[in-house]
Amino acid sequence: MKIITTWVETTSRESLLQQFATKQWFWLALFGLSLFSILSFIGGRLLVDADTLWHIAAGKWILANHAVPATDPFSFSFHGAKWVPHEWLAEVILGASHAWLGWAGPVLVTALATAVTLTVLLRFLLRYIEPLHAFAVTLLAFLTLAQHLLARPHALAWPLMVIWAAHLVLAREQGKRPSLWLPVVMLAWANLHGSFLLGIGLAGALAVEAFLTEGHPRRSARAWAPFLALTVLAALLTPNGVDGLLFPFHVSGMSFSLSIISEWKSPDFRLIQPIELWLGFVLFGALYFGFRLPATRILMCFGLVHLALAFARYAELPGLLAPLLLMPSVGPQLRAAIRPEIKPRLSPRSIRTITALCMALFMGSIAFLAKGIQHDQSRVLPREAVNAAMAAGAAGPVFNSYNFGGYLIFSGIAPLIDGRADLYGDDFVRRYMAAYSGDAKVLHALIQEYKIRWAVLEPSSPASKLIDGLPGWRKVHEDTNAVAYIRGQ
């Protein structure tokens, strides 16, 4: 009797699993869980950026003070100056996750946001093209964002970006006004990251497209105008108000700072870049199959590609957004050009095996995160140098490397400069870079003006070599990543 009962229960479970396997959501869930798990296992790779440290510190400051700062609370050089913390909500999420789970926290939320982003993208693509093709496009999208896959606010905004664009495109496809719940997405996006301005621009472009192509300009205007007004209103509902809306324009005007920060430079095509691979695949497909696309969508994609080629930090925009804009037109043409693929019929055993492997991978990632992640990226964590300087009596203002500013803030030490170039402005950044690059006159002036008492820099930096030769300064630590100096009385 027990054998019969066990057989019935097992058969029932297998039957239920087979029923699930016929549902699209089942495979999407396995895809999302697997991607989350893989990103969790490479969690250390998500922590290589110095800005992650000050973002976490800012989030903890907001949680501790129950307020969003309007002036700089961290540096000594600009302490009390006006600051626009336009990513405050993402910083709260990063800070809270670090407080609860250590370094596993920021890795978890970043991996989760990325998995949700690509799963939503895949779900949208499956409306128009076969699963194999949809998966290939999603893989290309992942390649474009891989270099910018960091535990920072922009990654937390990716899911909202894709949800926003997908629903706008669906509204255009159906000839309807966008849902009035979408401004709620904009509200969250505007408090997470400054890329929300792209969302407003995309909504405006699609509204213009509706006005020009639907054949009923007045009706299109009446449908889209209230939505655009609500979108802009939602973008203003942040602690920064109008300053938050104007912030991207402020940053784009900082020509000197943008020219020296690596992620704001154009991609270096002397090396193979993900955006280059993406463009190659897209051009090959368009030319080989002869896709015909609406002029408005081509122009929108040109805009995305321009941003990706002008600034390395925008490489993911074509990968995430161009498929959403183009697939309603490309999908039917691709289906007509390629015979629909034969859908494989998986045996119950194969379904069980795939499901078990995905769940084992997911449970393993949870155990891995629960064990904790060690942040050992010494390039942005000059622990030994700072500890040695503190032990030797370092106190007061510090002359620090730009890349070490995040660690100093995270450690409760006020830096001269850090990754918030928007706070410091072009003039100060230019002075700092002159001193860092070996201009002895400017370095001496900064030391005198800010009463610098110690320094922590990369050993290879020109500024460290200058300080090493200054009278009254002594070296207290040096390793392959950082050197520390203290100024005598």
Side-chain angles (χ1 to χ4, degrees), residues 5-52:
T5 302
T6 303
W7 178 82
V8 170
E9 291 176 350
T10 303
T11 303
S12 177
R13 287 196 297 269
E14 288 182 357
S15 176
L16 184 62
L17 187 59
Q18 285 179 278
Q19 291 180 27
F20 284 161
T22 64
K23 307 295 184 182
Q24 189 180 93
W25 64 261
F26 176 78
W27 296 104
L28 287 171
L30 290 185
F31 171 79
L33 289 176
S34 299
L35 181 58
F36 168 83
S37 303
I38 293 170
L39 294 178
S40 297
F41 280 122
I42 62 169
R45 167 65 181 79
L46 309 183
L47 302 173
V48 299
D49 194 270
D51 286 352
T52 298

Side-chain angles (χ1 to χ4, degrees), residues 106-120:
V107 168
L108 186 151
V109 297
T110 304
L112 180 61
T114 306
V116 169
T117 299
L118 294 175
T119 302
V120 172

Side-chain angles (χ1 to χ4, degrees), residues 312-360:
R313 67 175 293 158
Y314 291 142
E316 67 267 18
L317 295 184
L320 293 176
L321 298 182
L324 302 175
L325 293 169
L326 299 180
M327 207 51 66
S329 298
V330 170
Q333 297 176 64
L334 186 61
R335 285 182 184 272
I338 301 179
R339 186 175 61 184
E341 64 186 62
I342 300 174
K343 295 180 174 59
R345 299 181 66 88
L346 296 175
S347 66
R349 182 176 181 181
S350 298
I351 296 172
R352 289 199 307 271
T353 301
I354 293 172
T355 305
L357 288 174
C358 290
M359 294 308 297

Side-chain angles (χ1 to χ4, degrees), residues 67-81:
V68 176
T71 59
D72 173 37
F74 297 122
S75 75
F76 67 83
S77 52
F78 276 67
H79 187 81

Side-chain angles (χ1 to χ4, degrees), residues 388-468:
M390 295 292 103
V398 57
F399 185 88
N400 61 278
S401 163
Y402 185 90
N403 289 328
F404 294 161
Y407 176 74
L408 293 176
I409 291 176
F410 184 80
S411 302
I413 300 171
L416 173 70
I417 195 170
D418 55 82
R420 299 170 298 159
D422 54 281
L423 166 68
Y424 298 100
D426 261 359
D427 290 342
F428 182 82
V429 173
R430 186 181 288 106
R431 286 185 67 202
Y432 167 81
M433 286 306 301
Y436 180 84
S437 301
D439 188 320
K441 183 178 179 180
V442 177
L443 176 62
H444 181 73
L446 283 177
I447 289 175
Q448 296 303 315
E449 179 180 351
Y450 290 102
K451 299 179 173 55
I452 302 294
R453 305 303 308 171
W454 61 294
V456 56
L457 300 158
E458 293 92 351
S460 59
S461 64
S464 69
K465 294 176 173 55
L466 281 177
I467 291 176
D468 195 52

Side-chain angles (χ1 to χ4, degrees), residues 126-467:
L126 289 171
R127 294 173 59 93
Y128 303 99
I129 54 179
E130 300 297 327
L132 181 61
H133 305 146
F135 182 79
V137 174
T138 305
L139 178 60
L140 283 174
F142 177 76
L143 289 178
T144 63
L145 62 81
Q147 286 187 323
H148 207 205
L149 183 52
L150 301 164
R152 282 175 45 188
H154 67 267
L156 305 190
W158 282 341
L160 300 181
M161 179 189 298
V162 172
I163 291 170
W164 174 265
H167 281 274
L168 289 180
V169 170
L170 288 175
R172 279 289 301 115
E173 183 186 2
Q174 297 164 0
K176 298 179 180 178
R177 179 187 65 190
S179 172
L180 293 182
W181 68 263
L182 272 181
V184 178
V185 175
M186 177 54 64
L187 175 64
W189 190 358
N191 285 279
L192 280 171
H193 189 254
S195 58
F196 74 92
L197 193 65
L198 175 66
I200 297 177
L202 184 60
L206 290 171
V208 171
E209 179 187 81
F211 182 84
L212 295 176
T213 61
E214 285 187 351
H216 302 281
R218 290 185 179 180
R219 187 174 68 185
S220 299
R222 286 196 299 269
W224 282 81
F227 172 76
L228 292 175
L230 285 175
T231 294
V232 175
L233 177 62
L236 289 170
L237 296 179
T238 74
N240 305 303
V242 176
D243 286 336
L245 192 62
L246 298 178
F247 179 83
F249 298 101
H250 166 66
V251 172
S252 64
M254 297 175 58
S255 57
F256 178 80
S257 298
L258 300 188
S259 70
I260 63 168
I261 299 174
S262 58
E263 66 179 0
W264 283 105
K265 296 179 181 178
S266 297
D268 182 1
F269 287 101
R270 291 174 296 180
L271 305 172
I272 294 178
Q273 298 291 334
I275 185 61
E276 184 179 7
L277 297 175
W278 184 89
L279 284 171
F281 277 103
V282 170
L283 288 174
F284 177 85
L287 296 173
Y288 184 82
F289 294 109
F291 295 136
R292 292 184 62 85
L293 303 169
T296 52
R297 299 298 172 91
I298 295 174
L299 290 174
M300 292 179 206
C301 289
F302 276 169
L304 297 175
V305 171
H306 168 74
L307 289 173
L309 296 179
F311 307 107
R313 67 175 293 158
Y314 291 142
E316 67 267 18
L317 295 184
L320 293 176
L321 298 182
L324 302 175
L325 293 169
L326 299 180
M327 207 51 66
S329 298
V330 170
Q333 297 176 64
L334 186 61
R335 285 182 184 272
I338 301 179
R339 186 175 61 184
E341 64 186 62
I342 300 174
K343 295 180 174 59
R345 299 181 66 88
L346 296 175
S347 66
R349 182 176 181 181
S350 298
I351 296 172
R352 289 199 307 271
T353 301
I354 293 172
T355 305
L357 288 174
C358 290
M359 294 308 297
L361 185 65
F362 174 68
M363 296 306 295
S365 69
I366 295 299
F368 177 78
L369 291 173
K371 184 180 177 181
I373 293 177
Q374 297 298 317
H375 192 336
D376 57 357
Q377 302 295 333
S378 53
R379 184 181 67 83
V380 297
L381 296 179
R383 283 197 195 94
E384 290 76 14
V386 171
N387 289 341
M390 295 292 103
V398 57
F399 185 88
N400 61 278
S401 163
Y402 185 90
N403 289 328
F404 294 161
Y407 176 74
L408 293 176
I409 291 176
F410 184 80
S411 302
I413 300 171
L416 173 70
I417 195 170
D418 55 82
R420 299 170 298 159
D422 54 281
L423 166 68
Y424 298 100
D426 261 359
D427 290 342
F428 182 82
V429 173
R430 186 181 288 106
R431 286 185 67 202
Y432 167 81
M433 286 306 301
Y436 180 84
S437 301
D439 188 320
K441 183 178 179 180
V442 177
L443 176 62
H444 181 73
L446 283 177
I447 289 175
Q448 296 303 315
E449 179 180 351
Y450 290 102
K451 299 179 173 55
I452 302 294
R453 305 303 308 171
W454 61 294
V456 56
L457 300 158
E458 293 92 351
S460 59
S461 64
S464 69
K465 294 176 173 55
L466 281 177
I467 291 176

